[in-house]
Amino acid sequence: MVAQARLYGANVVIRAGRRILVNRLVLTASALAAASGLVMLGWILGDVAIKGFQAVNWEFFTELPAPPGMTGGGLANAIVGTLVMTLAAAVMAVPFGVMAGTWLSEFGRESGFGKTVRYLSDILVSAPSIVVGVFVYLIMVRPMGHFSGWAGAVSLAIIMVPVVSRTTEEMLKLVPHELREAALALGAPYWKIMAQVIYRAAAAGMVTGIMLAVARVAGETAPLLFTALNSPYWMHGMNEPMGNLTVTMFNYAMSPYDDWQTMAWGAALLITAGVLATTFTTRLILRLRSVVH
Amino acid sequence: MTLAFTAGILALFTAIVVSLWHESLPAIHKFGFSFLTSTAWNPVHDDFGALVAIAGTLVSTLLAMVVAVPISIGAALFLAELAPAWIRAPFGIGIELLAAVPSIVYGMWGLFTLSPLIADHLQPSLAAAFGFLPLFQGPPMGIGTLTAGLVLALMILPFIASVTRDVFLMVPQNLKEAAYGVGCTKWEVVRDVMIPYGRKGIAGGVFLGMGRALGETMAVTFVIGNAHRFSWSLFAPGNSIASTLANEFTEADSTIYLASLIELGLVLFLITFIVLGLAQWWLRRGSTERTS
């Protein structure tokens, strides 16, 4: 009896020991997995920073690209081009996306149509951006007969719309129903409730969502390849091929010239720093706000 | 009025499908179904087939999934349950930043930093260990399907990790506490409570990452090698649908060449539509079952 009990006890101890061991192993493995992600992030950012800083100087921001073989020059036109196209895309996409998101949240929450559009938007958010480039080529570049900054801006806008619409919807849903009822009880018309109560309550969240969408499209390359194309000159309006940082990066990095490859790293640094700074601050604000509430 | 804009999203979606389909009609008429099964890609003789590009897309994505899924689910578990609380916020922000790095930066980094390392270290050791398989034969060039898969893995890792982390965070606290209460270790809680509970959400996250990988252009175009040749070897340069479009779209000089490229785009759009559709379906199913 006693011997049996001892044996049983020993078994339990051995099994507990194995369970603890397995637990430790899994803990370690998952910690390593998470750490490896951060190591890669550090590696990529470090590489971009080290190689990028070699290219960044005053001329980088103020001069036009130098012809192949010549040293010096900068990417001033591409920087301006990316900023202008991203801004134009935001101007087109934000009202569109906010309106659509408003309908989805306020009127179409349960309707079949709303569900369909919500589903399609979620798919469009992750849809291949190069296909959007092909689409805009077909509807704008070919009919107009030339590549243009407008076509680039429209492709970026198409990528932004579903993102803005979905984040707007999520943010509006967070606004408590009582607020709407209180305003309705005061006899306010619905448009006034939207503009003065609901948007105001959701403003911070909507702005962060929009900033994240802007940061995302600012780093997009594929939809610009055959819409905006690229150009080594200053822009004279948006109705012509337009220089931009990402396509320049692509062309320069694939080129055989060392100078150009260095420039490409400079562009990579600039775009990464811009996108990550925007993402980081907006995420931080979102986190801080969610802690406060 | 807001309804009009909502309908606009639907119209946009329809317009993309219809215009791609309409513009690829010349290729559809000329090659028919064999477009999908032919390995030809000959702009001089106007003979095109999609098989090499489709295979390259699928193989590089599969490779990326094999590498990224275990790592990202591990990382998600760490962030959601296993890590001490003070570590979670910085690690979480780090993973989110990794997701925000533009894909062209991944591509450039893959070309200049990763591919020489792969050529010098990974490929020779893979060839030494598994060289009897046709998958790991051929000269170690550093660029090719293998490198494309690895860069893609790195790119989709944060997507899958952050979605699955959110899924794990939705597991009700009292379920987990009940399991801890009967003496489960953390791993046992994860294995027997959290993973079964979040099964659909995890599948959704994995398919979301897969949809991203299938359609990714820049990260792949830099490192895949851009060769229209079918090869069993992962070391050989290949092509994906997206990289073919990126490289050749502006060079297409005949109607049938352009139509073939557009049909490639249509194929890509449909493949990702199915994968992402499944992903959203699972993510939704996961969350509605929870609330009801």
Side-chain angles (χ1 to χ4, degrees), chain A residues 37-282:
Chain A
L38 287 200
V39 168
M40 294 317 274
L41 177 69
W43 189 6
I44 295 175
L45 292 187
D47 234 19
V48 169
I50 290 167
K51 293 183 181 157
F53 270 118
Q54 293 169 3
V56 176
N57 51 26
W58 182 246
E59 284 86 53
F60 182 82
F61 292 102
T62 53
E63 306 244 320
L64 289 178
M70 307 247 298
T71 51
L75 297 176
N77 67 320
I79 297 172
V80 174
T82 290
L83 289 176
V84 170
M85 265 193 288
T86 309
L87 190 71
V91 168
M92 288 185 263
V94 169
F96 196 127
V98 167
M99 288 295 187
T102 305
W103 190 84
L104 286 174
S105 155
E106 301 301 313
F107 309 109
R109 235 179 248 200
E110 291 305 319
S111 73
F113 178 67
K115 281 185 181 154
T116 313
V117 172
R118 200 170 294 133
Y119 207 89
L120 287 180
S121 309
D122 278 337
I123 290 174
L124 278 178
V125 166
S126 301
S129 53
I130 191 144
V131 174
V132 174
V134 172
F135 172 65
V136 173
Y137 177 88
L138 294 176
I139 59 160
M140 283 184 75
V141 175
R142 210 169 47 178
M144 286 160 71
H146 57 86
F147 300 99
S148 72
W150 283 120
V154 167
S155 353
L156 295 183
I158 290 178
I159 293 169
M160 270 183 87
V161 165
V163 184
V164 175
S165 148
R166 289 294 279 136
T167 44
T168 303
E169 185 194 349
E170 294 303 324
M171 293 304 152
L172 293 184
K173 273 184 184 167
L174 292 179
V175 177
H177 228 73
E178 290 77 5
L179 267 181
R180 296 181 176 86
E181 285 163 5
L184 269 177
L186 290 175
Y190 213 91
W191 64 266
K192 213 164 189 176
I193 299 175
M194 286 311 305
Q196 297 189 352
V197 179
I198 299 175
Y199 284 150
R200 205 174 276 182
M206 284 163 66
V207 170
T208 45
I210 291 166
M211 288 314 293
L212 287 178
V214 169
R216 192 192 144 187
V217 297
E220 280 285 356
T221 316
L224 298 179
L225 285 171
F226 22 84
T227 52
L229 206 67
N230 196 7
S231 149
Y233 309 111
W234 285 111
M235 53 181 275
H236 302 281
M238 289 181 70
N239 206 11
E240 56 181 68
M242 208 160 141
N244 59 84
L245 276 175
T246 44
V247 178
T248 308
M249 258 173 84
F250 181 50
N251 293 340
Y252 277 24
M254 294 299 233
S255 80
Y257 310 110
D258 281 347
D259 272 8
W260 279 15
Q261 290 181 2
T262 315
M263 277 298 190
W265 281 106
L269 173 63
L270 198 60
I271 208 105
T272 313
V275 170
L276 288 195
T278 315
T279 313
F280 185 73
T281 29
T282 43

Side-chain angles (χ1 to χ4, degrees), chain B residues 11-196:
Chain B
L12 187 68
F13 189 87
T14 323
I16 292 178
V17 176
V18 170
S19 71
L20 289 179
W21 173 76
H22 181 255
E23 297 296 327
S24 53
L25 276 179
I28 294 174
H29 285 311
K30 179 162 176 192
F31 304 115
F33 190 71
S34 71
F35 183 76
L36 298 177
T37 55
S38 154
T39 58
W41 194 266
N42 192 336
V44 181
H45 296 107
D46 279 342
D47 186 14
F48 300 100
L51 190 62
V52 174
I54 293 177
T57 307
L58 296 182
V59 171
S60 58
T61 301
L62 186 70
L63 201 62
M65 302 307 288
V66 169
V67 177
V69 168
I71 299 182
S72 47
I73 291 184
L77 281 175
F78 183 75
L79 292 172
E81 184 68 15
L82 308 177
W86 61 271
I87 278 188
R88 290 181 196 177
F91 268 57
I93 288 196
I95 298 277
E96 276 160 16
L97 285 185
L98 200 56
V101 173
S103 60
I104 187 169
V105 175
Y106 281 103
M108 246 181 98
W109 181 84
L111 177 65
F112 289 113
T113 305
L114 194 63
S115 76
L117 291 177
I118 288 178
D120 292 344
H121 302 289
L122 185 63
Q123 287 182 336
S125 38
L126 276 177
F130 307 105
F132 54 90
L133 293 170
L135 283 177
F136 303 106
Q137 286 168 1
M141 287 186 289
I143 53 171
T145 318
L146 177 70
T147 314
L150 292 180
V151 173
L152 274 180
L154 187 58
M155 228 201 81
I156 59 173
L157 200 151
F159 284 112
I160 305 179
S162 62
V163 175
T164 37
R165 179 197 56 184
D166 293 345
V167 169
F168 286 137
L169 285 177
M170 283 202 281
V171 178
Q173 199 61 32
N174 47 14
L175 274 185
K176 289 189 286 187
E177 276 163 11
Y180 282 123
V182 297
C184 287
T185 61
K186 278 195 168 183
W187 163 239
E188 285 161 351
V189 172
V190 166
R191 187 191 57 192
D192 296 332
V193 178
M194 294 174 70
I195 290 182

